[in-house]
C-alpha cells in the first residue's frame, strides 16, 4: 500500500494544528525491564514495528490544498541507545515536525540491571490504543528477534488497507441519518463545550505555547494493591456506576478541594475532564496504529461536592446518555462540519483557550491478550522481564495534567503526566493521593 495518496483526516488535521513548541502533542510511554536489552534485536524489532504501522514512519506533505501522508521504508529512524542508570526524570518529549521527520521514536536507557524503553508518537499519527499496539508488537518482535524459540508467538496479521477507513464514521450513510434525532442531544454537549469557559488547574503563565518544551514533562504514579482495587470495584458496584465514572467523580472532587486549599479561583469556575472515546469496531481489529478516537467532555462547577454519591451518579447518568445515544460521534461530527467552513478544523486550535482542566483515560488491562511468556504475572519478551510501565497522554496549553489508569501484574496503577512549569511533584502527588482516598472507601 502506498501512502502517497492518503489524505489526512479531519482529526489528524486538528492534531497537526493543535501542536505547539511549548506543548508538543506527543503521546509517550515508559517501560521498565529487568535485563540487558540486545541492541541488534531491539533495532530489528523497531524496524518491523514501523513496517507494520505505516503512519508512524510517514511524513506530511502538501498536495494542492490538501495534506497527505507520504512515507518510505528506508526513512525509518533507528532507535537511540543510551548507557546509564534509569532515573525518575523523563527525556525531552520534543515536538515532532511531521513535515520533516517521522512521527514515532524509540529510545533505550540501559543500566546494569534495568533497561528503560521510551516510546513516543505524534498524536496525528496515532491515539492511545495505537501506541499500545506499537508496544505490544515491539515486545513480540523483540521476543522473536532475540531468539527465544522455546516459546514462539505468532504475530497477528494487520491490513494496511483498513487505514482508508480510519476517518470514516458513516456520516453519509442512511444508518447515521436515522440516528440524527438522538444525535441532536450532542448539540447540547457542543453548546456546553463552547460556552462553558473551563479553567486550568492553576493559572497559566503567559506565552507558554511559544517556547520549546525542554524538560517540562514529568510523571508521577501510584499503585493500588489488589485489596484496594477490590474495594474500589465494590464501591462502584455499591453506587451502581462504572469504575471509570467513579474515577471521574473522584478526580473532580480532588481537583476542587486542591484548588480551594490554595485559594485558586471560585466555586463558580467550570472544571472540565476530557475523556478519550475509542471508536474502533470489530471490523477495525486488523487496522495498524492510527487515530480512531473521539473525545467527550464532562463539566462540573468547582464546588465542594459534599454529596459525593450524587456527583458520581450524575456522571453515570451523563455517560449512559452518551453511550446509549452514540454521542461519542459528536466531536467527530463537529470536526466534519467545521472542515467545510473557512479555515477548516485548524481554526479550532487556539492556545489561549482551556480545552480541559485535565485528561483522564482508563485503559483497563492493556496487555491482557499478550501470548508472551510470563513470570509471576509479568510479561517476558526474550531475555527481558517487563517490571512496570507508565502511560502519558499529551498535555496542551492550559491543560497541565493528564491521567492514565490501567492494570498490570495484579496492580492498578494511576499515572499523571504534568507540566513542571506549572505544578510540582508534591502538587501532583497530593492530587493522586486524594483521588485514591475518594475512589477507595475506608473499610468499616
Amino acid at each position: 500500500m502506498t501512502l502517497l495518496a492518503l489524505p489526512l483526516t479531519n482529526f489528524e488535521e486538528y492534531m497537526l494544528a493543535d501542536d505547539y513548541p511549548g506543548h508538543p502533542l506527543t503521546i509517550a510511554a515508559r517501560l521498565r525491564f529487568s535485563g540487558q536489552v540486545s541492541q541488534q534485536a531491539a533495532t530489528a524489532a523497531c524496524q518491523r514495528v514501523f513496517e507494520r504501522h505505516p503512519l508512524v514512519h510517514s511524513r506530511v506533505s502538501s498536495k494542492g490544498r490538501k495534506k497527505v501522508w507520504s512515507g518510505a521504508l528506508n526513512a525509518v529512524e533507528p532507535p537511540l541507545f543510551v548507557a546509564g542508570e534509569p532515573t525518575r526524570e523523563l527525556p525531552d518529549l520534543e515536538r515532532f515536525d511531521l513535515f520533516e521527520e517521522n512521527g514515532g521514536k524509540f529510545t533505550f536507557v540501559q543500566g546494569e540491571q534495568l533497561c528503560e524503553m521510551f516510546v513516543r508518537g505524534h498524536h496525528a499519527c496515532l491515539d492511545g490504543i495505537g501506541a499500545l499496539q506499537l508496544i505490544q508488537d515491539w515486545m513480540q518482535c523483540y521476543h522473536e528477534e532475540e531468539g527465544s524459540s522455546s516459546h514462539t508467538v505468532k504475530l497477528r496479521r494487520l491490513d494496511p488497507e483498513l487505514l482508508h477507513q480510519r476517518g470514516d464514521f458513516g456520516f453519509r450513510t442512511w444508518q447515521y441519518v436515522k440516528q440524527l434525532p438522538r444525535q441532536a442531544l450532542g448539540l447540547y454537549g457542543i453548546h456546553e463545550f463552547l460556552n462553558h469557559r473551563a479553567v486550568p488547574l492553576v493559572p497559566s503563565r503567559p506565552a507558554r505555547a511559544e517556547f520549546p518544551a525542554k524538560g517540562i514533562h514529568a510523571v508521577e504514579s501510584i499503585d493500588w494493591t489488589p485489596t484496594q482495587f477490590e474495594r474500589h470495584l465494590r464501591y462502584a458496584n455499591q453506587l451502581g456506576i462504572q469504575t471509570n465514572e467513579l474515577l471521574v467523580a473522584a478526580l473532580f472532587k480532588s481537583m476542587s478541594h486542591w484548588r480551594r486549599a490554595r485559594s485558586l479561583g471560585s466555586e463558580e469556575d467550570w472544571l472540565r475532564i476530557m475523556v478519550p472515546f475509542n471508536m474502533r469496531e470489530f471490523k477495525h481489529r486488523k487496522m495498524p496504529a492510527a487515530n480512531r478516537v473521539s473525545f467527550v467532555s464532562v463539566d462540573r462547577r468547582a464546588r465542594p461536592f459534599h454529596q459525593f454519591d450524587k456527583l458520581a451518579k450524575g456522571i453515570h447518568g451523563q455517560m449512559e446518555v452518551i453511550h446509549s445515544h452514540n454521542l461519542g460521534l459528536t466531536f467527530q461530527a463537529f470536526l466534519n462540519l467545521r472542515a467545510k467552513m473557512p479555515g477548516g478544523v485548524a481554526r479550532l486550535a487556539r492556545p489561549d483557550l482551556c480545552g480541559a482542566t485535565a485528561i483522564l483515560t482508563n485503559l483497563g488491562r492493556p496487555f491482557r491478550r499478550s501470548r508472551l511468556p510470563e513470570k509471576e504475572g509479568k510479561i517476558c519478551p526474550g531475555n527481558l522481564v517487563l517490571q512496570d510501565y507508565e502511560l502519558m497522554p499529551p498535555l496542551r496549553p492550559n491543560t497541565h495534567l493528564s491521567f492514565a489508569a490501567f492494570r498490570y501484574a495484579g496492580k492498578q496503577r494511576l499515572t499523571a503526566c504534568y507540566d513542571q512549569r506549572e505544578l510540582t511533584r508534591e502538587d501532583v502527588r497530593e492530587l493522586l493521593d486524594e483521588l485514591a482516598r475518594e475512589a477507595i472507601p475506608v473499610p468499616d
Side-chain angles (χ1 to χ4, degrees), residues 211 219 228 252 319 326 357:
F211 302 104
V219 64
Q228 289 175 312
F252 269 124
M319 289 297 184
N326 202 18
T357 310

Side-chain angles (χ1 to χ4, degrees), residues 377-391:
K378 296 178 179 178
I379 299 172
C380 303
N383 63 325
L384 303 175
V385 179
L386 178 59
Q387 296 296 333
D388 57 47
Y389 57 94
E390 293 162 319
L391 305 175

Side-chain angles (χ1 to χ4, degrees), residues 98-333:
L98 292 183
F99 291 92
E100 299 293 336
E101 60 183 333
N102 303 339
K105 290 183 181 179
F106 286 82
T107 301
F108 297 86
V109 179
Q110 179 65 64
E112 289 189 10
Q113 297 180 336
L114 292 176
C115 172
E116 284 188 345
M117 179 176 80
F118 294 92
V119 184
R120 288 168 284 172
H122 195 294
H123 206 336
C125 302
L126 77 174
D127 54 22
I129 299 297
L132 291 172
Q133 285 180 266
L134 296 190
I135 295 168
Q136 176 68 55
D137 281 4
W138 183 89
M139 289 194 293
Q140 292 193 210
C141 290
Y142 179 84
H143 184 79
E144 182 178 329
E145 294 291 338
E146 201 270 330
S148 302
S149 57
S150 60
H151 187 112
T152 58
V153 179
K154 185 178 180 181
L155 208 59
R156 63 194 179 115
R157 188 177 69 84
L158 298 179
D159 182 4
E161 291 297 324
L162 288 172
L163 289 173
H164 288 288
Q165 300 180 18
R166 71 198 189 286
D168 182 4
F169 296 95
F171 295 133
R172 298 181 180 180
T173 65
W174 176 243
Q175 183 179 1
Y176 180 74
V177 172
K178 289 190 297 183
Q179 293 183 41
L180 285 178
R182 291 189 299 165
Q183 286 289 313
L185 278 175
L187 296 176
Y188 181 71
I190 293 295
H191 169 80
E192 282 191 337
F193 184 84
L194 295 177
N195 289 278
H196 291 177
R197 302 288 290 189
V199 298
L201 188 64
V202 297
S204 299
R205 300 177 188 180
R208 284 301 193 195
E210 300 175 7
F211 302 104
K214 289 291 185 181
I216 74 155
H217 294 87
V219 64
E220 185 71 8
S221 300
I222 60 171
D223 293 326
W224 297 351
T225 65
T227 300
Q228 289 175 312
F229 186 59
E230 182 60 31
R231 295 212 312 266
H232 172 69
L233 292 177
R234 286 201 303 267
Y235 190 27
N237 187 59
Q238 175 188 330
L239 292 171
I241 67 175
Q242 302 295 319
T243 56
N244 195 55
E245 295 159 357
L246 178 52
L247 285 176
V248 171
L251 182 53
F252 269 124
K253 186 168 182 180
S254 301
M255 292 192 301
S256 180
H257 181 268
W258 189 91
R259 280 166 51 88
R260 288 198 317 277
R262 289 159 177 77
S263 300
L264 296 172
S266 78
E267 293 185 4
E268 296 306 306
D269 288 339
W270 285 106
L271 303 180
R272 174 175 295 155
I273 297 177
M274 192 74 74
V275 181
F277 208 87
N278 183 17
M279 301 298 291
R280 288 168 176 79
E281 303 173 45
F282 182 75
K283 64 183 179 181
H284 302 121
R285 67 194 183 281
K286 295 180 181 178
M287 181 186 290
N291 280 294
R292 181 78 188 179
V293 69
S294 191
F295 295 114
V296 296
S297 60
V298 185
D299 295 359
R300 292 295 185 274
R301 296 282 191 185
R303 292 170 182 169
F305 303 118
H306 296 304
Q307 295 178 295
F308 182 74
D309 59 339
K310 185 176 180 181
L311 167 67
K313 290 177 181 179
I315 290 171
H316 169 68
Q318 185 174 349
M319 289 297 184
E320 273 204 326
V321 170
I322 289 170
H323 285 281
S324 63
H325 289 74
N326 202 18
L327 299 186
L329 281 173
T330 301
F331 180 70
Q332 288 288 353

